[in-house]
Amino acid sequence: VQDVASGRDHRSGQDKVSQRCWKEEICWILGEIQAPLSPLLLRLCHWMLPKLLTRVFLSVQLHRGQLEMVLRAARTPNVPLVFLCSHQSQVDGLLLSFILLSQGIGVPRVTVGAGISPRLRRSLLQCLGGIFLPLGMAQTRSGQDEGLPGAVLDTYVQEVLRSRQPLVIFLEEPPVSLRLADPARRWLLRVLRALRDGAVPDVLVVPVGIAYDVAP
């Protein structure tokens, strides 16, 4: 982040004014990515979600043996968990977050696709652990220079992995399945860069399959 901002300062030839401007821009970009978790909203959501699930579905089934393997993996010291998930509906993120929290793994940071447009809904999901691509970056093509938003996002993902917060990346964008979505590609690139740059020594990748008899 400092390298990108220093390059801007060098081109502009300004000092304190320029530094204040890019610091404000960095804070704005970070606010587009995430927000502080809200314990009250988390407790409310995880109180309501089981009641909602019992009304919408006949049952929710988990593979106990695989869940025990994930719990053992979560106890590996200094190695973060990255969940790579299929994506069938907008319920997936809340469902997976509820399962991980109820099993003692912690509140995950869940990537949310570009289809969430209302500002209130975006802010609510951020308070529940949702993370978003910065708005300006979501409109750039893959391979283009992502500038300051890309640098802030790189640093943010590194800090999430360093702090061993579970990271959930949805590989698809419903209703299109079996194709890697562009937002997922950008998030995966950040994880690979964190490994390449030595921000974390390793990550444990957990594949997650979510399926419904009838998708809600």
Side-chain angles (χ1 to χ4, degrees):
V1 173
Q2 288 178 338
D3 289 343
V4 174
S6 298
R8 285 188 174 189
D9 286 346
H10 180 72
R11 289 193 300 270
S12 64
Q14 299 177 3
D15 291 323
K16 292 184 178 180
V17 175
S18 179
Q19 288 180 8
R20 185 171 64 250
C21 289
W22 65 251
K23 285 180 180 179
E24 291 175 355
E25 186 176 353
I26 288 170
C27 291
W28 182 83
I29 294 170
L30 187 59
E32 289 290 326
I33 297 172
Q34 61 102 51
L37 296 173
S38 170
L40 177 61
L41 280 177
L42 283 168
R43 286 196 295 268
L44 180 62
C45 181
H46 289 95
W47 174 76
M48 292 179 59
L49 192 59
K51 301 181 183 337
L52 173 65
L53 293 177
T54 55
R55 290 181 177 274
V56 175
F57 305 114
L58 292 176
S59 64
V60 177
Q61 300 177 0
L62 298 175
H63 193 294
R64 294 296 306 177
Q66 293 177 357
L67 185 58
E68 290 172 2
M69 291 175 62
V70 173
L71 293 174
R72 287 199 300 270
R75 292 191 287 269
T76 305
N78 301 322
V79 179
L81 291 175
V82 177
F83 295 85
L84 302 184
C85 311
S86 60
H87 201 7
Q88 302 295 321
S89 82
Q90 300 299 335
V91 181
D92 297 347
L94 291 174
L95 178 62
L96 191 55
S97 177
F98 169 73
I99 292 171
L100 295 179
L101 184 59
S102 65
Q103 296 299 317
I105 296 177
V107 180
R109 289 294 183 173
V110 182
T111 63
V112 183
I116 306 297
S117 54
R119 189 72 189 181
L120 180 60
R121 187 179 178 193
R122 183 185 178 106
S123 299
L124 178 63
L125 289 176
Q126 283 181 323
C127 292
L128 294 173
I131 54 177
F132 295 77
L133 293 174
L135 290 177
M137 186 179 150
Q139 298 168 359
T140 62
R141 295 180 181 178
S142 296
Q144 285 185 335
D145 181 16
E146 295 167 339
L148 192 57
V152 173
L153 187 64
D154 281 336
T155 305
Y156 174 76
V157 171
Q158 289 180 11
E159 290 303 316
V160 168
L161 296 177
R162 279 198 194 102
S163 61
R164 298 190 67 223
Q165 296 180 67
L167 177 62
V168 175
I169 300 176
F170 287 110
L171 302 178
E172 305 158 334
E173 286 288 342
V176 180
S177 60
L178 302 178
R179 189 178 72 188
L180 184 64
D182 183 66
R185 185 178 289 107
R186 293 174 188 264
W187 288 109
L188 289 171
L189 179 62
R190 267 67 208 180
V191 175
L192 292 174
R193 284 179 180 170
L195 284 169
R196 182 198 64 191
D197 296 341
V200 287
D202 200 359
V203 297
L204 287 173
V205 175
V206 182
V208 179
I210 301 176
Y212 302 90
D213 291 335
V214 178

